[in-house]
Amino acid sequence: MFEIGNKTFGSRLMLGTGKYPSFEIQKEAVKASETEVLTFAVRRMNIFDSNEPNLLEEINLQKYSLLPNTAGAKTAEEAVRIARLASGSGLCDMIKVEVIGCDKTLLPDPFETMKASVQLLNEGFTVLTYISDDVVLAKRLEDEGIHAIMPGASPIGSGQGIVNSMNLQFIIRQSNIPVIVDAGIGSPKDATFAMELGADGVLLNTAISGAEDPVKMAEAMKLAIQSGRLGYEAGRIPRKMYASKSSPESGMIR
Ligand SMILES: CC(=O)[C@@H](O)[C@H](O)COP(=O)(O)O
């Protein structure tokens, strides 16, 4: 169990909702993942045209917490406008702040991200902020009062996995708010690694929606995250430079 703002979650896997081959497969994958949190880009989600298909109509909304995100925003002003739209539509008071600063890498703009996060905190939102693995920015945002920090493992949709585990560990160790590793996860081992490092959760999309079998991959990710968390709680052995025998010599029968 972990908490973000006033919500408690059993599952540590948060799912994006884009790029699935079909609604049917998406629904199955969401079910198999046992996620409790679905994030979606307010700008890209068809929530306003009742003639168009809409994922939110396809799923049982009682079962999930919705986490609208500000994907598509390039300035703080745009992100704030998108968040207000989501809240005005009664979707949720939680918001994932995402302000992209570079079209090629889709890495977030730290200055606009900070501005948007502070503004939305002042407006009473529960703020989860997506950043790159920037240790100093993570702390500054926590000091401002955000509710969870979401450092990227690697660029969105790249499937590169965790490229700087050192920075992620710095962020995890210094944080007094939940750390959700978000973006760039490619395979279950990446998700396990994030959890073994001590992350509170993982948010991912492409690794499941783009898999050959998204439903199977959703289950694999669920198990990977559970396994990584269990391993973290169990406490791994320290790394040693040289070998040490698995069977102790004292007490050996000669
Ligand atoms: C859905 C969402 O919020 C994405 O922007 C998120 O960052 C996931 O990235 P991946 O697709 O790399 O998992």
Side-chain angles (χ1 to χ4, degrees):
M1 291 282 198
F2 77 112
E3 288 172 17
I4 298 180
N6 58 7
K7 288 189 187 295
T8 305
F9 302 106
S11 163
R12 293 174 182 272
L13 170 57
M14 300 183 177
L15 274 197
T17 50
K19 302 187 287 194
Y20 279 85
S22 70
F23 273 151
E24 220 32 63
I25 292 178
Q26 178 166 22
K27 265 197 302 188
E28 285 302 304
V30 168
K31 192 166 160 216
S33 75
E34 290 181 17
T35 186
E36 293 170 19
V37 179
L38 294 172
T39 185
F40 60 89
V42 177
R43 267 197 164 171
R44 292 182 202 123
M45 174 68 78
N46 169 45
I47 46 179
F48 303 109
D49 183 351
S50 55
N51 297 318
E52 292 294 320
N54 175 358
L55 170 74
L56 301 183
E57 287 171 2
E58 301 275 329
I59 56 169
N60 176 358
L61 289 178
Q62 308 306 322
K63 280 180 68 181
Y64 303 99
S65 288
L66 296 181
L67 175 60
N69 68 61
T70 64
K74 290 187 171 175
T75 64
E77 208 184 324
E78 279 180 288
V80 168
R81 206 178 320 125
I82 294 170
R84 286 178 187 154
L85 195 64
S87 140
S89 316
L91 291 176
C92 194
D93 60 351
M94 286 204 298
I95 190 80
K96 174 184 155 182
V97 174
E98 178 176 321
V99 186
I100 297 302
C102 166
D103 286 338
K104 195 160 183 171
T105 60
L106 294 182
L107 288 172
D109 180 322
F111 306 102
E112 297 297 307
T113 297
M114 169 63 86
K115 237 198 272 177
S117 299
V118 170
Q119 177 63 32
L120 291 169
L121 281 171
N122 289 338
E123 295 187 17
F125 282 85
T126 299
V127 174
L128 294 77
T129 304
Y130 167 65
I131 60 169
S132 48
D133 52 13
D134 183 328
V135 184
V136 176
L137 180 62
K139 196 65 197 164
R140 291 282 299 273
L141 281 158
E142 179 180 332
D143 292 345
E144 291 294 338
I146 64 161
H147 300 85
I149 190 79
M150 309 184 100
S154 51
I156 295 171
S158 70
Q160 289 280 343
I162 294 174
V163 292
N164 192 338
S165 60
M166 184 73 102
N167 274 13
L168 280 185
Q169 281 181 86
F170 287 147
I171 291 173
I172 289 164
R173 285 178 189 205
Q174 75 181 4
S175 289
N176 299 304
I177 53 174
V179 179
I180 313 296
V181 173
D182 174 7
I185 297 293
S187 72
K189 102 172 153 33
D190 303 330
T192 303
F193 188 26
M195 297 307 294
E196 278 191 54
L197 292 178
D200 295 280
V202 169
L203 189 155
L204 59 87
N205 187 155
T206 313
I208 292 180
S209 65
E212 278 179 29
D213 184 336
V215 181
K216 226 176 227 179
M217 186 58 84
E219 184 172 10
M221 287 295 185
K222 174 191 80 180
L223 296 172
I225 286 167
Q226 288 172 353
S227 162
R229 180 67 193 181
L230 212 53
Y232 171 72
E233 287 172 1
R236 58 152 294 143
I237 57 167
R239 287 187 172 82
K240 291 183 184 153
M241 181 68 88
Y242 294 106
S244 82
K245 288 178 183 157
S246 302
S247 323
E249 282 183 359
S250 61
M252 245 173 71
I253 302 163
R254 294 185 189 270

